[in-house]
Amino acid sequence: MKKDMRQVNLRVEDMPARWYNIIPDLPEPLPPPEGDMTAMGKGMIKECLDQEFSPDNWIDIPEELQETYRQIGRPRPVFRATNLEKRLDTPAELYYKAEGLFSPTGSHKINTALAQAYYARKQGLERLVTETGAGQWGTALSCAARITGLAATVYWVRAVHRWKEARRLFMELYGAEVFASPSENTETGRGLLKKDPDHPGSLAIAISEGLEDALSDDKAAYVLGSVLNHVLLHQTIIGLECKKQMEAIDRYPDVVVSCLGGGSNFGGIALPFLGDALKKGTRTRFIAAQTQAAPNLQGEYRYDNADYSGITPRLKMYTLGHQKDMPPVYGDGLRYHGCSPILRLLRNKGYIDTVAYPTDEKYVFESAKVFLSEEGFLPAPESAYSIAAAIDQADECRKSGEKKVILFNVSGHGFMDMEGYRQVLQV
Amino acid sequence: MKKDMRQVNLRVEDMPARWYNIIPDLPEPLPPPEGDMTAMGKGMIKECLDQEFSPDNWIDIPEELQETYRQIGRPRPVFRATNLEKRLDTPAELYYKAEGLFSPTGSHKINTALAQAYYARKQGLERLVTETGAGQWGTALSCAARITGLAATVYWVRAVHRWKEARRLFMELYGAEVFASPSENTETGRGLLKKDPDHPGSLAIAISEGLEDALSDDKAAYVLGSVLNHVLLHQTIIGLECKKQMEAIDRYPDVVVSCLGGGSNFGGIALPFLGDALKKGTRTRFIAAQTQAAPNLQGEYRYDNADYSGITPRLKMYTLGHQKDMPPVYGDGLRYHGCSPILRLLRNKGYIDTVAYPTDEKYVFESAKVFLSEEGFLPAPESAYSIAAAIDQADECRKSGEKKVILFNVSGHGFMDMEGYRQVLQV
């Protein structure tokens, strides 16, 4: 036991060597995808497609990939937010995973980007194509491709591409080719631009464009940064590290909180603990922090497409509709119409709660500022939602007097997102 | 011994608990400061003034401050740059300290900022005043003051303040008051603005303004982020961690490299190893990477002021002259006319080598891009100099066939410095 628990980290050699696959532990099988799998299957990395439907509970992280994880700073610390606890005058213990704060590209996305790049190179592919919303995933993929020796092409939601110039330069420094989406590069893009030359784009549209591009090149694969089972699988390293870290200080979370767009960072931290809830009956509460611009866990529970033009197979999910227009928010990574099939099933079975914050984002950015003022670290806009929900939980404990252990994920840093702070907080 | 040495980190509880004070080990006493110490002495934090001339070899880091160090992510990892070694085809082993990459404010400066804030609060002070060049020190001080419960005022070299708006917002989010220097807030500033309303400013001018401000307020102290002995003392935690980390993998550096402006990050990583050179006769080579805009270790060895208007006492240093005009560079943290008295003495005795890179900065930014491409992390412009010098050393080993162990410091990240990359590399 440490003198204090301000920071808990693992030894480098204690980084988890396997990912946790929750699929075999789910209360019922995942409803199979509907529709034509050909395009999606053809565009995807084979090993990832296998992992997508794997019946195995544990999947080894290849030794070379483990080395790359160590290269980019894994394992990452869990911090106890002692100052924040004092400020909130709460009896709760607040712990946060510094997942994105120490990430080379600014978020947790690098975990799956490196895994997918590793498998793509092993398969003899030469280029990875993807979409990005907030820009975090596009940067992670650009970095992973470069480190692994592959080319990268990124379709970036135009509404965001427009004002995040520094992040675009960042991707290009890694050698990636970056298009504002809708772009003139694909049929989907050209069609939308004809109707509206200033079309703001969306994640779903960018996915359609990326898929179209990848399918036209034998040496390219289309890769996704969220939603799919194998992406969440790769991200479980976050929660697996957290479990070891909480064990080291003799704690177990009563509440696990994270922001949720497609579900990759939420799944990353929550799935290992959700596995305990399913198998051991632990009573942890799981809270997904969302934006009212895209409260996809509060949508309809039905089959829908992951992309705008319907190239992808249909997945059973809570959805707002795959052609839904959603107002822009700075936490753009949360602005997605659907959500991971694994998480929507667990939501449907009552394992996951959800809260959605107003689209003016004042409350979440104010929460981020409180966190910054007490703990020193600058969170990404998406992570601000996670922090807001953790603070809400701590406030409830203040009222009820409960000494809950609250674990939340800070999935990204905000060094490249100052514009959001400026606009929303009017500093 | 680890399976690989991609990353070496200490356990949280193994973070050094004392700073190393090299003063008693120097080959001759430091020449005393010349001139009027009253203003400087009056404006400074008492404990820091004591540390400035301490005869003790080791100074305990107060337990509360150790906790704050852990809160902001210490200890920080040392990485082996295996990919970079391959790219350079060098037999040398390259290790880098991720000092700034994981820092909440983007650089090593937080180490002394937190220490000075701690001692200031203990003394009953309420406000810290300082200058900043690149903006790294100003941000660190703003963060440290906020976490510690003090107010902060920052005078920021106008030439930099102008284009680093995100960093200004960052300081203001921490609650700091930020002025472009020269400012209308002081006599020094008003005098210079009268002559040139668009005066670009300099570190020396900003120091003069900050001192003037602090001396007019009983509850304020003036704090410096470099040059002075106590600042380098606080930064020795970098090198002390590195020593333990290199020991853990059974290595000792043949070469220690870092960029040098006033000397705080260079001193931070080098002093513990320089102590070995002085006491045990180890033959490590120490290389200070500088800009030709301010090659202060190649200047004249004489008494000079630390600030522009001569409020500070005169220190014996290599200097370019305290009113020297220096061309702007993106690595603005290196653009300073003088250098730490400790380091200049060791330079004079032949312990420190120096290299200065051209002011167009093409070579150093290209070096940073190579590092980014291989290791994934984005360095600050100042750290790009450190990387360039480390790469030069690795190249020499390629030619000579020597398997040297090279340790370098990446003292800052570049997430808020994309403008420099864009302008210099024309991406």
Side-chain angles (χ1 to χ4, degrees):
Chain A
M1 186 63 107
K2 323 274 181 309
K3 265 185 282 182
D4 63 73
M5 297 178 294
R6 230 30 211 264
Q7 184 194 152
V8 189
N9 208 352
L10 301 174
R11 296 185 311 164
V12 177
E13 54 270 44
D14 290 338
M15 186 185 77
R18 305 183 300 176
W19 293 300
Y20 168 58
N21 179 21
I22 202 170
I23 292 178
D25 298 325
L26 290 175
E28 64 185 46
L30 285 176
E34 266 185 0
D36 188 4
M37 293 286 287
T38 327
M40 197 67 195
K42 188 165 167 286
M44 272 177 71
I45 299 158
K46 283 194 185 63
E47 183 81 29
C48 294
L49 203 57
D50 289 348
Q51 290 176 350
E52 190 67 14
F53 304 107
S54 169
D56 302 326
N57 242 167
W58 295 97
I59 293 179
D60 287 340
I61 306 174
E63 176 54 34
E64 190 185 332
L65 181 58
Q66 286 184 45
E67 278 192 34
T68 316
Y69 277 174
R70 288 189 277 265
Q71 174 188 346
I72 54 100
R74 299 215 77 87
R76 304 210 187 282
V78 161
F79 290 99
R80 177 157 179 194
T82 315
N83 287 12
L84 184 57
E85 289 171 16
K86 280 186 202 135
R87 164 86 165 254
L88 301 173
D89 189 24
T90 179
E93 293 183 7
L94 286 167
Y95 296 91
Y96 68 96
K97 180 74 166 173
E99 183 55 38
L101 298 172
F102 295 168
S103 162
T105 61
S107 83
H108 68 293
K109 297 284 186 184
I110 193 72
N111 300 326
T112 185
L114 286 169
Q116 297 192 55
Y118 170 82
Y119 291 122
R121 199 196 50 197
K122 212 177 135 196
Q123 190 184 320
L125 299 174
E126 291 168 5
R127 184 169 69 106
L128 297 176
V129 186
T130 197
E131 91 298 339
T132 196
Q136 295 278 20
W137 167 240
T139 321
L141 201 267
S142 303
C143 173
R146 182 65 195 79
I147 287 183
T148 312
L150 303 171
T153 306
V154 178
Y155 290 87
W156 193 355
V157 178
R158 185 178 297 269
V160 189
H161 177 274
R162 202 172 272 153
W163 63 273
K164 287 200 178 174
E165 200 179 4
R167 202 166 262 287
R168 179 175 62 71
L169 286 167
F170 194 11
M171 294 184 211
E172 288 173 354
L173 272 181
Y174 283 122
E177 190 180 33
V178 183
F179 296 103
S181 166
S183 77
E184 293 289 350
N185 216 38
T186 67
E187 238 174 87
T188 307
R190 285 188 295 270
L192 288 162
L193 287 175
K194 199 178 276 179
K195 281 189 273 180
D196 177 3
D198 200 38
H199 197 296
S202 73
L203 271 181
I205 293 169
I207 295 174
S208 293
E209 287 204 88
L211 259 174
E212 198 184 314
D213 177 344
L215 287 171
S216 71
D217 176 359
D218 273 357
K219 287 291 186 187
Y222 187 72
V223 294
L224 275 154
S226 195
V227 178
L228 298 186
N229 303 342
H230 70 274
V231 175
L232 270 68
L233 172 77
H234 302 154
Q235 293 294 359
T236 58
I237 193 162
I238 303 172
L240 292 167
E241 284 183 6
C242 287
K243 275 189 86 168
K244 285 189 171 194
Q245 288 161 318
M246 299 304 281
E247 266 167 39
I249 52 166
D250 209 15
R251 293 287 187 284
Y252 194 91
D254 298 304
V255 186
V256 173
V257 174
S258 203
C259 59
L260 192 148
S264 85
N265 107 74
F266 181 90
I269 194 165
L271 289 180
F273 296 103
L274 275 160
D276 286 350
L278 293 170
K279 287 181 293 187
K280 302 180 193 166
T282 48
R283 310 289 291 262
T284 300
R285 193 173 166 208
F286 298 91
I287 302 173
Q290 305 205 277
T291 164
Q292 284 177 5
N296 57 49
L297 274 186
Q298 298 169 14
E300 287 177 59
Y301 188 49
R302 63 171 170 86
Y303 275 94
D304 198 6
N305 294 104
D307 69 319
Y308 183 88
S309 13
I311 307 183
T312 55
R314 290 150 53 85
L315 303 169
K316 194 154 181 191
M317 49 162 95
Y318 286 88
T319 178
L320 304 166
H322 68 281
Q323 295 198 335
K324 165 92 177 168
D325 276 330
M326 291 166 287
V329 286
Y330 286 102
D332 192 82
L334 309 183
R335 202 170 68 96
Y336 182 64
H337 71 277
C339 162
S340 142
I342 289 173
L343 297 177
R344 64 85 199 145
L345 187 143
L346 290 169
R347 159 80 177 136
N348 187 248
K349 297 292 172 197
Y351 286 94
I352 299 171
D353 291 333
T354 162
V355 54
Y357 292 103
T359 54
D360 68 8
E361 298 185 289
K362 280 211 166 57
Y363 184 71
V364 296
F365 273 94
E366 282 293 351
S367 301
K369 192 179 169 187
V370 168
F371 176 83
L372 171 85
S373 298
E374 299 303 328
E375 300 303 323
F377 289 105
L378 181 71
E382 290 79 10
S383 306
Y385 287 77
S386 181
I387 290 164
I391 288 178
D392 286 350
Q393 287 298 307
D395 280 341
E396 279 188 24
C397 288
R398 181 170 38 77
K399 288 171 203 153
S400 69
E402 286 175 290
K403 292 181 201 290
K404 284 187 183 167
V405 173
I406 299 168
L407 173 66
F408 60 106
N409 194 16
V410 181
S411 61
H413 70 56
F415 291 119
M416 302 183 87
D417 301 293
M418 272 296 172
E419 185 63 16
Y421 281 90
R422 191 223 316 261
Q423 294 295 346
V424 176
L425 298 181
Q426 300 287 314
V427 281
Chain B
M1 186 64 110
K2 325 274 181 309
K3 266 186 281 184
D4 64 71
M5 296 179 294
R6 232 28 212 264
Q7 184 194 152
V8 189
N9 209 352
L10 302 175
R11 296 186 308 166
V12 177
E13 53 270 44
D14 290 338
M15 186 185 76
R18 304 183 302 176
W19 293 301
Y20 168 58
N21 179 21
I22 201 169
I23 291 178
D25 298 325
L26 290 175
E28 62 185 47
L30 285 176
E34 267 186 359
D36 187 4
M37 293 286 287
T38 327
M40 197 68 195
K42 186 165 168 285
M44 273 177 71
I45 299 158
K46 284 195 185 63
E47 183 80 29
C48 294
L49 202 58
D50 289 348
Q51 290 177 349
E52 189 67 13
F53 303 106
S54 169
D56 303 326
N57 242 169
W58 296 97
I59 293 179
D60 288 340
I61 306 174
E63 176 54 34
E64 189 185 333
L65 181 58
Q66 286 185 44
E67 278 192 34
T68 315
Y69 277 173
R70 289 190 277 266
Q71 174 189 347
I72 54 101
R74 298 215 77 87
R76 306 210 187 280
V78 160
F79 291 99
R80 178 158 178 192
T82 315
N83 288 11
L84 184 58
E85 288 171 15
K86 281 188 201 135
R87 163 87 165 255
L88 301 173
D89 189 25
T90 180
E93 294 183 6
L94 286 168
Y95 297 91
Y96 67 95
K97 180 74 166 172
E99 183 56 37
L101 297 172
F102 294 169
S103 162
T105 60
S107 83
H108 68 293
K109 297 283 186 186
I110 192 72
N111 300 326
T112 186
L114 286 169
Q116 296 192 54
Y118 169 83
Y119 291 122
R121 198 195 51 198
K122 212 177 133 197
Q123 190 184 320
L125 299 173
E126 291 168 6
R127 185 168 69 106
L128 297 176
V129 186
T130 198
E131 90 299 339
T132 194
Q136 295 278 20
W137 166 241
T139 321
L141 201 267
S142 304
C143 173
R146 183 63 195 81
I147 287 182
T148 312
L150 303 171
T153 305
V154 179
Y155 290 88
W156 193 357
V157 178
R158 184 179 298 268
V160 189
H161 176 275
R162 203 172 271 153
W163 62 273
K164 287 199 179 175
E165 198 178 5
R167 202 166 263 284
R168 179 177 60 72
L169 285 168
F170 195 11
M171 294 183 211
E172 288 172 354
L173 272 180
Y174 284 122
E177 190 182 32
V178 183
F179 297 103
S181 165
S183 77
E184 293 289 351
N185 215 38
T186 66
E187 238 175 86
T188 308
R190 285 188 295 271
L192 289 161
L193 287 175
K194 198 177 276 179
K195 282 189 272 178
D196 177 4
D198 200 38
H199 197 297
S202 74
L203 270 180
I205 294 169
I207 295 174
S208 293
E209 287 204 88
L211 260 174
E212 198 184 316
D213 176 343
L215 288 170
S216 71
D217 175 359
D218 274 357
K219 288 290 185 188
Y222 186 73
V223 294
L224 274 154
S226 195
V227 178
L228 298 186
N229 303 341
H230 70 274
V231 175
L232 270 69
L233 172 77
H234 302 155
Q235 294 294 358
T236 59
I237 193 163
I238 302 172
L240 292 168
E241 283 183 7
C242 286
K243 274 189 87 169
K244 285 189 172 194
Q245 287 162 318
M246 298 305 280
E247 268 168 38
I249 53 168
D250 209 14
R251 292 289 186 284
Y252 193 91
D254 298 304
V255 186
V256 172
V257 175
S258 203
C259 59
L260 192 148
S264 84
N265 106 76
F266 182 90
I269 194 166
L271 288 181
F273 296 102
L274 275 160
D276 286 351
L278 293 170
K279 287 181 293 188
K280 303 179 192 165
T282 49
R283 310 289 291 262
T284 300
R285 194 173 165 208
F286 299 90
I287 302 173
Q290 305 205 276
T291 165
Q292 284 176 6
N296 57 48
L297 275 185
Q298 299 170 12
E300 288 177 58
Y301 188 50
R302 62 171 168 85
Y303 276 92
D304 199 6
N305 294 103
D307 69 320
Y308 183 87
S309 18
I311 306 183
T312 56
R314 291 149 54 85
L315 303 169
K316 195 156 180 190
M317 49 162 93
Y318 286 88
T319 179
L320 304 166
H322 70 279
Q323 296 197 335
K324 164 94 176 167
D325 276 329
M326 292 168 286
V329 287
Y330 285 102
D332 193 82
L334 309 182
R335 201 171 69 95
Y336 183 64
H337 71 278
C339 163
S340 140
I342 290 173
L343 296 177
R344 64 82 198 149
L345 187 143
L346 290 169
R347 160 80 176 136
N348 187 249
K349 298 292 173 196
Y351 287 94
I352 299 172
D353 291 334
T354 161
V355 55
Y357 292 102
T359 53
D360 67 10
E361 298 185 288
K362 280 211 165 59
Y363 184 72
V364 296
F365 273 95
E366 283 294 350
S367 301
K369 192 180 168 187
V370 168
F371 176 83
L372 170 85
S373 299
E374 299 303 328
E375 301 302 323
F377 289 105
L378 181 72
E382 289 79 10
S383 305
Y385 287 76
S386 181
I387 290 165
I391 288 178
D392 286 351
Q393 287 299 305
D395 280 341
E396 279 188 22
C397 288
R398 181 169 39 74
K399 289 171 204 154
S400 69
E402 286 174 289
K403 293 182 201 289
K404 285 187 182 166
V405 173
I406 299 168
L407 172 66
F408 60 106
N409 194 16
V410 182
S411 60
H413 70 57
F415 291 119
M416 302 183 87
D417 301 292
M418 272 296 172
E419 185 64 15
Y421 280 90
R422 190 225 315 261
Q423 294 294 346
V424 176
L425 299 181
Q426 298 288 315
V427 283

